[in-house]
Amino acid sequence: MDTNAAFEFPAARFPASIENLRVEVRQFLSGERRSGALSRPDSVSMVVSLDFTRKLAAHGWIGMTWSREYGGHEKTALERYAVTEELLAVCAPVRAHWVADRQTAGVLLRFGTKAQKRKYLPKIAAGEWFFTPGLSEPDAGSDLASLRTRATRVDGGWRLSGTKTWNSNSHVAQFTLVLCRTEPAGEDRHQGLTRLIVDLASPGITIRPIINLAGEHDFNELTFEDVFVPDENLVGEAGKGWNQATTELAYERSGPERWMSSFRLLAELTEALGKNASAAACQQLGGVLAQLLTLRQMSMSVAAALEAGRTPNLEAAIVKDLGTCFEQELVRVARELINSEGIDIWDTARRLADVLESAQLWSICYTIRGGSKEIMRGVIARGLGLR
Amino acid sequence: MSETTDMITDAATRLFSEQCTPRVLAEAEQGVFPSTLWSGVEDNGIASMLAAEAHGGIAASPGVALAVMRVAGRHAVPLPLAETMVGRWLLSKAGIGAATGPLALVVLRRPDGWKVEGTGTARVLRGTEPAVAWGKASGGVLVVVRDGAGIGVATVDSQRLKVDSRTNIAGEPRDGLTADGVSVRFSPVSAVSLEAVMHMVSLCRAGLICGALQRTLELSVGYACDRVQFGRPLAKFQAIQQQLAELAGAVASATAIANATANVVEGEHGDLMIAAMRARLAGAIDTGTAVSHQVHGAMGFTREYALHYYTRRLWAWRDEYDSAAEWRERLGRAFAGAPADELWSRLARIGVASGTQ
């Protein structure tokens, strides 16, 4: 076997100016904390705050890498990466724009028409328009290509019918970028799939909330009954949507959220351990920190690859697999340390107890959402030439 | 810089793939020092690569050293490469011309090991070090000791020491060395701390570890593709694919943290990156050795098949030059008690190398 460059993760070098950007973001965030607009998190849940999203947009921290023509700010992928880390470190309420900024816009920039870019991207960058994913279905999860939502050609557009599930944020978003079948599945099931932008205000759409394990409303089920989608909403070529979906998933999988989603648990735990933590506790804490620092280097390497114009699908799968498993281990280590060090989590603030509870519940989905651990390992195995 | 890396790694690849034959590896475990291989290491400038040009080296960066050591690890080179490279780097820093021959390296940091007594240049070495890598075979043992605010080095000929020949789990020499008041010449080394020596040797060993891990992955993938059971190659079974993917992830994580650490090892937070690297390498070794043996089945549990040259070395190297637990504790101690809202900014400044690629 030749050494596959994708397994190499060369060290990324970030321009020194990025430190200034980090400071700027931190100052903004601590200002929000002081004003009471943000509070010290008692959960690892990424929630919606339209107010916060608009403030980020005003700072130019949404759509950072896009061209100015489309409302972007022409920053590098490394600058975007740094801002993303800073927001995740405080569990900022970025849910509203996260999907649109992270993945939908990437697809539109690469495959969309000029008119689509002009219409949607400036509104996304302004923190006004949001997207809900539109990929999974009740009978098509890991086996996404078996999806059954279909669109048929009609005069001036398409008629869309089917059900999409596990859609974050549909109750806040105005649009979804659906993957649907427009031609019967032939020899290659990946052919005949098409991406359509669907306005959620269109007649024939039902949105049903699905309350998740953490007791929160994030997911929704979207049902399309003969929904008209105009021609102008076709993204890329009809029947060639699969490649777009995998590109989108690379964006979804590659970011620091794959190892920073539970960062607040680590932060509260570190504080609670105190300076006099036992040697055994420091060893466990060090083990967790070492994994986090390693994942961060891998993630930065992926960001550098994106900046160099590559789509690092395989690297993203590796980071997602390792990162999400790490986050589940973090919950286990935190619980053990709380018990072995005799930390009182039922103190008056109860913050550590709340964050731990939330991390326990949410961490279950980390190895499932955005492509399950098993799917990630299948992608990696393909990279090794095994399939 | 990248040209230098390519030249020396190409030379190392040629040398090691030609000469690290199964026979040389097997003989080395029987105590035969591979002198022809060593000559090749000298001739290709590998042993002195970290030393200054004035001392026969090329003042290679830590990144270049890491790249060359990865090649060595991939071929299970049975030599004290990390020790000699770091030893000559230190001697060069001390302004002493390059020594010839392989070096053993003893960094004195335990109360029960060797003591360097006296002051000035003439000192006396006393005590026992229990497990010195290549202590006898190296000829020269370089002792590194804290001295006032700085450090100093002294080289002692192993023939002047009482040797208790031992080996580690990989069959590499780890000799007990006893000095009964051996007089040594002491040289101060400026601008290098005892910790910096540990960091540099840890980084060189990290290269060996990453190379050996890479080889366990290559062997495992190769074996899974060749071995047929139930009518198809093992590689076609999802259960095997999932395990090999986990192995590949472990190897990638080790490589990533080593690559990043090489860039910052001499910087402000180099100690914390080294600690993180050592901790992660140990985790990757746990996963890498377990999975590669599981995939190989009974074949991997023999001395006939080469996997053991890599996995036994990996098991040995996890806890040499301080144990993984000690490195984890250092890293954890540095952050225990950090206020929740400060943890991120304190972590984020570690391991970030600025500048262009």
Side-chain angles (χ1 to χ4, degrees):
Chain A
M1 186 195 85
D2 285 339
T3 308
N4 190 328
F7 294 100
E8 191 56 31
F9 288 90
R13 287 184 185 274
F14 277 46
S17 60
I18 285 188
E19 287 310 304
N20 302 334
L21 176 60
R22 285 186 188 277
V23 169
E24 203 185 320
V25 178
R26 284 174 198 163
Q27 281 171 349
F28 161 71
L29 291 170
S30 53
E32 291 295 286
R33 196 66 90 69
R34 274 194 307 277
S35 75
L38 288 184
S39 53
R40 182 164 163 174
D42 54 8
S43 156
V44 300
S45 172
M46 183 191 271
V47 299
V48 170
S49 163
L50 299 183
D51 176 55
F52 187 80
T53 284
R54 293 205 179 107
K55 283 179 186 164
L56 284 187
H59 278 90
W61 294 331
I62 303 177
M64 286 182 71
T65 58
W66 321 338
S67 77
R68 289 190 197 282
E69 189 186 357
Y70 304 127
H73 304 280
E74 301 186 357
K75 302 290 186 195
T76 64
L78 305 181
E79 287 169 300
R80 178 177 189 279
Y81 175 86
V83 171
T84 305
E85 276 191 344
E86 296 302 324
L87 294 172
L88 292 168
V90 299
C91 196
V94 292
R95 195 56 166 145
H97 66 274
W98 206 246
V99 167
D101 183 36
R102 176 180 69 187
Q103 59 200 75
T104 319
V107 172
L108 294 181
L109 278 163
R110 193 152 154 196
F111 301 100
T113 63
K114 197 154 187 119
Q116 285 167 349
K117 291 181 208 174
R118 286 214 171 123
K119 178 175 176 184
Y120 296 99
L121 296 178
K123 291 284 195 183
I124 294 174
E128 291 173 19
W129 282 4
F130 314 120
F131 274 73
T132 187
L135 293 170
S136 295
E137 296 187 4
D139 295 324
S142 287
D143 183 13
L144 185 59
S146 71
L147 59 83
R148 293 207 295 252
T149 296
R150 51 188 312 115
T152 46
R153 269 245 171 254
V154 292
D155 195 24
W158 305 79
R159 285 280 172 187
L160 179 72
S161 290
T163 305
K164 291 289 177 185
T165 192
W166 319 132
N167 304 293
S168 288
N169 230 11
S170 315
H171 52 301
V172 181
Q174 297 90 342
F175 303 95
T176 178
L177 180 57
V178 156
L179 179 68
C180 59
R181 189 158 284 290
T182 48
E183 296 156 33
E187 289 267 300
D188 181 358
R189 296 186 309 147
H190 298 144
Q191 294 296 320
L193 296 169
T194 298
R195 305 299 308 263
L196 297 173
I197 299 169
V198 183
D199 186 333
L200 294 176
S202 312
I205 297 178
T206 315
I207 302 178
R208 181 178 74 86
I210 302 172
I211 303 304
N212 65 25
L213 179 71
E216 298 173 38
H217 177 198
D218 178 63
F219 288 150
N220 300 272
E221 184 179 78
L222 290 172
T223 309
F224 305 92
E225 288 173 280
D226 223 19
V227 174
F228 178 73
V229 182
D231 264 334
E232 66 195 44
N233 285 15
L234 168 69
V235 178
E237 212 179 318
K240 307 278 184 212
W242 181 256
N243 186 28
Q244 293 179 36
T246 53
T247 302
E248 173 173 346
L249 287 167
Y251 293 123
E252 178 174 355
R253 287 168 186 162
S254 61
E257 53 267 63
R258 297 316 173 195
W259 48 274
M260 283 187 80
S261 293
S262 294
F263 186 79
R264 291 310 301 187
L265 174 60
L266 181 59
E268 294 296 343
L269 175 71
T270 308
E271 177 173 309
L273 280 171
K275 289 192 191 317
N276 299 321
S278 72
C282 288
Q283 287 175 18
Q284 290 224 56
L285 177 63
V288 166
L289 290 169
Q291 291 189 66
L292 181 119
L293 289 168
T294 303
L295 285 158
R296 180 167 190 245
Q297 291 297 335
M298 299 178 89
S299 238
M300 294 198 299
S301 184
V302 168
L306 286 170
E307 178 59 21
R310 296 200 296 116
T311 310
N313 290 331
L314 182 52
E315 291 92 328
I318 294 171
V319 175
K320 185 182 185 287
D321 179 27
L322 292 172
T324 53
C325 289
F326 156 73
E327 291 201 293
Q328 291 177 347
E329 191 187 337
L330 172 62
V331 177
R332 182 187 62 77
V333 170
R335 203 189 80 250
E336 282 197 357
L337 283 179
I338 286 165
N339 294 333
S340 66
E341 295 290 293
I343 295 168
D344 175 18
I345 58 170
W346 295 96
D347 64 358
T348 46
R350 285 199 77 245
R351 197 176 284 107
L352 182 54
D354 287 343
V355 175
L356 177 66
E357 197 171 278
S358 140
Q360 175 68 73
L361 295 167
W362 272 98
S363 65
I364 295 305
C365 86
Y366 298 162
T367 49
I368 301 166
R369 67 181 182 189
S372 72
K373 177 168 75 183
E374 291 73 19
I375 293 292
M376 293 304 100
R377 292 183 182 176
V379 171
I380 299 165
R382 186 169 290 116
L384 289 170
L386 302 175
R387 353 186 8 186
Chain B
M1 173 55 74
S2 132
E3 212 169 280
T4 314
T5 316
D6 289 349
M7 273 173 57
I8 197 158
T9 50
D10 286 352
T13 305
R14 271 195 306 276
L15 173 70
F16 297 144
S17 50
E18 273 169 26
Q19 297 207 14
C20 291
T21 59
R23 187 174 162 180
V24 167
L25 295 183
E27 283 178 356
E29 286 200 34
Q30 301 307 314
V32 180
F33 188 82
S35 356
T36 315
L37 178 61
W38 179 259
S39 307
V41 167
E42 288 285 21
D43 294 347
N44 284 285
I46 295 167
S48 293
M49 64 186 288
L50 288 172
E53 287 180 27
H55 299 121
I58 56 167
S61 69
V64 176
L66 180 76
V68 171
M69 294 305 264
R70 280 180 65 185
V71 178
R74 196 171 161 272
H75 290 92
V77 172
L79 290 172
L81 274 190
E83 288 73 13
T84 307
M85 277 167 57
V86 173
R88 290 190 187 176
W89 167 72
L90 262 179
L91 287 170
S92 175
K93 292 266 184 194
I96 302 168
T100 53
L103 279 174
L105 185 68
V106 179
V107 187
L108 298 188
R109 62 210 183 285
R110 307 215 169 279
D112 54 352
W114 278 347
K115 305 264 183 308
V116 176
E117 298 167 351
T119 52
T121 54
R123 309 260 180 125
V124 173
L125 186 66
R126 205 181 297 282
T128 297
E129 282 288 327
V132 178
W134 307 87
K136 184 183 177 194
S138 285
V141 181
L142 187 68
V143 187
V144 190
V145 62
R146 233 184 267 283
D147 188 56
I151 66 164
V153 294
T155 310
V156 53
D157 188 330
S158 65
Q159 292 190 346
R160 297 169 69 200
L161 303 167
K162 233 186 275 172
V163 178
D164 175 10
S165 293
R166 301 178 191 180
T167 53
N168 66 10
I169 189 174
E172 297 178 307
R174 295 294 183 267
D175 302 319
L177 299 181
T178 301
D180 294 325
V182 176
S183 54
V184 292
R185 191 181 162 77
F186 177 90
S187 310
V189 187
S190 58
V192 181
S193 66
L194 204 73
E195 288 71 27
V197 179
M198 291 294 286
H199 298 165
M200 198 59 94
V201 75
S202 286
L203 187 75
C204 289
R205 281 292 189 89
L208 293 176
I209 288 169
C210 289
L213 278 171
Q214 187 191 332
R215 190 82 183 115
T216 64
L217 175 62
E218 291 167 7
L219 287 171
S220 301
V221 168
Y223 186 79
C225 289
D226 291 343
R227 170 81 170 161
V228 174
Q229 288 288 280
F230 303 103
R232 50 184 173 146
L234 294 184
K236 297 298 166 197
F237 289 88
Q238 276 198 356
I240 301 292
Q241 291 175 358
Q242 296 272 313
Q243 290 195 61
L244 289 173
E246 206 184 342
L247 169 54
V251 177
S253 73
T255 310
I257 189 74
N259 285 342
T261 303
N263 273 348
V264 298
V265 63
E266 292 169 314
E268 194 184 350
H269 306 294
D271 54 339
L272 296 174
M273 273 298 273
I274 285 283
M277 179 191 79
R278 288 291 311 264
R280 180 78 287 265
L281 290 176
I285 290 170
D286 290 344
T287 307
T289 54
V291 173
S292 58
H293 275 289
Q294 188 63 30
V295 169
H296 275 89
M299 187 53 76
F301 194 65
T302 67
R303 292 262 168 137
E304 291 172 21
Y305 184 87
L307 181 64
H308 71 91
Y309 285 120
Y310 307 95
T311 52
R312 286 188 300 134
R313 278 169 170 73
L314 289 168
W315 286 320
W317 296 339
R318 269 184 305 205
D319 291 326
E320 291 184 350
Y321 294 104
D322 291 353
S323 66
E326 286 168 288
W327 288 107
R328 282 202 304 270
E329 187 178 337
R330 278 172 207 149
L331 183 61
R333 183 67 68 197
F335 292 96
D341 286 325
E342 283 178 27
L343 180 65
W344 175 251
S345 58
R346 285 172 56 177
L347 282 170
R349 63 188 181 211
I350 298 170
V352 177
S354 63
T356 48
Q357 202 84 43

